[in-house]
Amino acid sequence: MKKIGILTLSASDNCGSLLQAYALQTVLQDRGYDVEIIDFTTPISEKMYRIFHPGYISSPKMFFGQIIRYKDLIKQKRDYQQFRQERLRLTEQRYSSIDGLRTIDGKYEAIVCGSDQIWNVYMRDFDEAFFLSWCIKSRCVSYAASLGDQKGGRLADMVERGFGYDRYAAVSVREGSAAEKFKAELGKDVKVCLDPTLLLSKEQWRGLVDKKMIPKERFIFYYSYNYADEEKNRTVLRFSAETNLPVYVINASRWVDGREAKYGFRIFEQAGPLAFLGLMDGCAYALVESFHGVAFSYIFQKEFWFLGREVRADDRIEDLLEIIDKRERVLYPGNIDLSSYRPISYLTVPPRFKELLQDSERYITENI
């Protein structure tokens, strides 16, 4: 049995990051591989996802908000950690540097980096380790690695920080815009593959859902990576008023200033990936501001809208909306006339999605 290692953002207390890690692990296990996710946690990521943020001391409202919600913050941390322990097959040892990772070079027949924004060099918890420069003896493969939005010079900055294309036996990226960058700047053709969450069926994801994590009433699930945009919060509030439905949000750490009371949002008592799946499965509407919010809205066949602000979303969202043929599902502030929207039809699989699904499965078969 081939032993495969996965290097991805498994240290992130982020629903999308952990669910895509679980998905790629599952896809490879289902193909008969012996799979481990390399437990890689940098000092920066530990600081980002700590329970108590000393930086809030300068803001009395945020500081006391953390104290008031300390039990909720502990519960949130526990929910994320429990998912890692129970759903991810992590290495027994944790690694925090490239030097540490060199000690496992050759342990795996192949090391797969991806998916998620592991190659976004502007991300706070980015680390050069995701370029696999430390991997000499094992076969190096990327699967649907994301560079983030392509408005900046990400590929040039990747090369400057140690990315070497020739190190890889095979390279695939998640966004077509990234593939265009590789062709234009390096003269290399790379494959575009689906985010691994889209390789699992709705039934497979529902198998993880605890029905106790689904509210009994009809509701709106509002999911954002940080809920910091007040204009979008007001958009959700107006949508709630128009539909006469309550709004559920998750992650108490995003609401320590008590803003949810201002909008009447309900912080769900559970947090982490399983709460996310339960709320996504049970909601009447999903209003999302994240890549994986869109991905799981599609997986669970929901009436959803991506919360937009500019005429064009970033490359990650634009690519995904095009793949699933849902580019019209962008809700702009001040434009919430629901009568102008037709219900989403999920009767047919979009041609581009079907094509990429086949390409992704073929890529895994041929290269991993």
Side-chain angles (χ1 to χ4, degrees), residues 198 280 288-299 304-306 317 320-321 324:
L198 295 164
M280 187 62 76
V288 299
E289 190 194 5
S290 81
F291 177 93
H292 286 104
V294 173
F296 278 95
S297 295
Y298 178 76
I299 291 168
F304 80 91
W305 283 267
F306 175 77
I317 304 302
L320 180 56
L321 289 174
I324 63 176

Side-chain angles (χ1 to χ4, degrees), residues 97-325:
S97 68
I98 288 178
D99 287 339
L101 290 171
R102 287 194 179 102
T103 64
I104 58 172
D105 183 21
K107 176 181 178 181
Y108 304 97
E109 182 162 334
I111 292 181
V112 182
C113 60
S115 178
D116 220 346
Q117 296 186 68
I118 58 166
W119 287 350
N120 183 350
V121 295
Y122 307 131
M123 190 172 56
R124 283 182 62 194
D125 51 347
F126 167 78
D127 193 278
E128 284 85 354
F130 294 118
F131 291 154
L132 302 188
S133 60
W134 52 273
C135 181
I136 306 299
K137 302 174 184 177
S138 301
R139 178 182 176 87
C140 297
V141 178
S142 76
Y143 180 80
S146 175
L147 285 63
D149 190 25
Q150 288 301 299
K151 293 177 182 177
R154 281 166 168 75
L155 187 53
D157 290 338
M158 283 172 55
V159 173
E160 184 176 332
R161 297 185 64 169
F163 174 79
Y165 176 89
D166 294 335
R167 178 177 300 117
Y168 293 84
V171 174
S172 71
V173 293
R174 196 175 66 183
E175 285 84 36
S177 55
E180 291 171 4
K181 279 268 189 178
F182 271 90
K183 182 64 173 178
E185 298 183 23
L186 296 183
K188 303 294 185 180
D189 290 314
V190 301
K191 291 291 186 181
V192 177
C193 289
L194 289 175
D195 185 89
T197 58
L198 295 164
L199 301 182
L200 299 187
S201 67
K202 178 173 64 174
E203 289 70 27
Q204 286 176 289
W205 287 117
R206 272 188 170 161
L208 300 181
V209 174
D210 183 348
K211 298 302 180 182
K212 296 178 183 178
M213 289 189 178
I214 302 179
K216 303 299 182 183
E217 60 188 335
R218 294 184 78 244
F219 65 94
I220 298 163
F221 179 32
Y222 171 28
Y223 182 73
S224 170
Y225 52 88
N226 62 6
Y227 301 105
D229 191 317
E230 294 300 314
E231 188 172 11
K232 290 180 180 177
N233 292 341
R234 289 191 292 269
T235 298
V236 175
L237 178 61
R238 290 196 294 272
F239 188 94
S240 173
E242 186 158 331
T243 58
N244 196 30
L245 293 177
V247 176
Y248 281 87
V249 297
I250 61 173
N251 292 340
S253 62
R254 303 303 186 187
W255 303 96
V256 293
D257 60 355
R259 282 175 302 123
E260 82 286 351
K262 174 181 177 181
Y263 301 104
F265 299 160
R266 304 178 186 180
I267 303 177
F268 196 56
E269 59 184 355
Q270 307 293 331
L274 295 185
F276 171 88
L277 291 175
L279 290 172
M280 187 62 76
D281 188 25
C283 69
Y285 299 99
L287 300 183
V288 299
E289 190 194 5
S290 81
F291 177 93
H292 286 104
V294 173
F296 278 95
S297 295
Y298 178 76
I299 291 168
F300 283 105
Q301 300 184 341
K302 292 296 173 179
E303 287 294 326
F304 80 91
W305 283 267
F306 175 77
L307 297 172
R309 191 168 191 174
E310 302 175 352
V311 175
R312 182 186 181 282
D314 72 29
D315 292 326
R316 299 175 306 120
I317 304 302
E318 285 286 333
D319 275 35
L320 180 56
L321 289 174
E322 183 175 350
I323 288 168
I324 63 176
D325 194 24

Side-chain angles (χ1 to χ4, degrees), residues 7-190:
L7 185 66
T8 189
L9 296 172
S10 57
S12 171
D13 284 357
N14 175 281
C15 294
S17 295
L18 295 186
L19 290 170
Q20 63 84 24
Y22 170 83
L24 185 56
Q25 169 188 279
T26 301
V27 168
L28 295 180
Q29 285 178 330
D30 288 348
R31 288 170 174 261
Y33 299 124
D34 180 11
V35 183
E36 282 186 334
I37 294 177
I38 300 168
D39 191 355
F40 181 64
T41 306
T42 65
I44 292 178
S45 62
E46 288 183 343
K47 288 182 179 180
M48 285 179 61
Y49 299 107
R50 57 192 164 186
I51 296 175
F52 194 86
H53 285 262
Y56 287 160
I57 292 177
S58 60
S59 171
K61 185 176 183 180
M62 301 291 282
F63 178 74
F64 286 110
Q66 287 186 120
I67 295 175
I68 293 171
R69 291 206 162 134
Y70 194 63
K71 289 185 178 179
D72 295 329
L73 298 178
I74 292 176
K75 177 66 169 61
Q76 174 183 319
K77 189 69 176 179
R78 187 182 303 126
D79 288 342
Y80 278 100
Q81 191 57 30
Q82 184 175 354
F83 183 87
R84 288 189 191 89
Q85 293 172 347
E86 296 181 358
R87 303 294 179 177
L88 301 185
R89 189 170 180 235
L90 294 168
T91 55
E92 292 184 4
Q93 184 173 340
R94 174 173 290 181
Y95 304 91
S96 59
S97 68
I98 288 178
D99 287 339
L101 290 171
R102 287 194 179 102
T103 64
I104 58 172
D105 183 21
K107 176 181 178 181
Y108 304 97
E109 182 162 334
I111 292 181
V112 182
C113 60
S115 178
D116 220 346
Q117 296 186 68
I118 58 166
W119 287 350
N120 183 350
V121 295
Y122 307 131
M123 190 172 56
R124 283 182 62 194
D125 51 347
F126 167 78
D127 193 278
E128 284 85 354
F130 294 118
F131 291 154
L132 302 188
S133 60
W134 52 273
C135 181
I136 306 299
K137 302 174 184 177
S138 301
R139 178 182 176 87
C140 297
V141 178
S142 76
Y143 180 80
S146 175
L147 285 63
D149 190 25
Q150 288 301 299
K151 293 177 182 177
R154 281 166 168 75
L155 187 53
D157 290 338
M158 283 172 55
V159 173
E160 184 176 332
R161 297 185 64 169
F163 174 79
Y165 176 89
D166 294 335
R167 178 177 300 117
Y168 293 84
V171 174
S172 71
V173 293
R174 196 175 66 183
E175 285 84 36
S177 55
E180 291 171 4
K181 279 268 189 178
F182 271 90
K183 182 64 173 178
E185 298 183 23
L186 296 183
K188 303 294 185 180
D189 290 314
V190 301

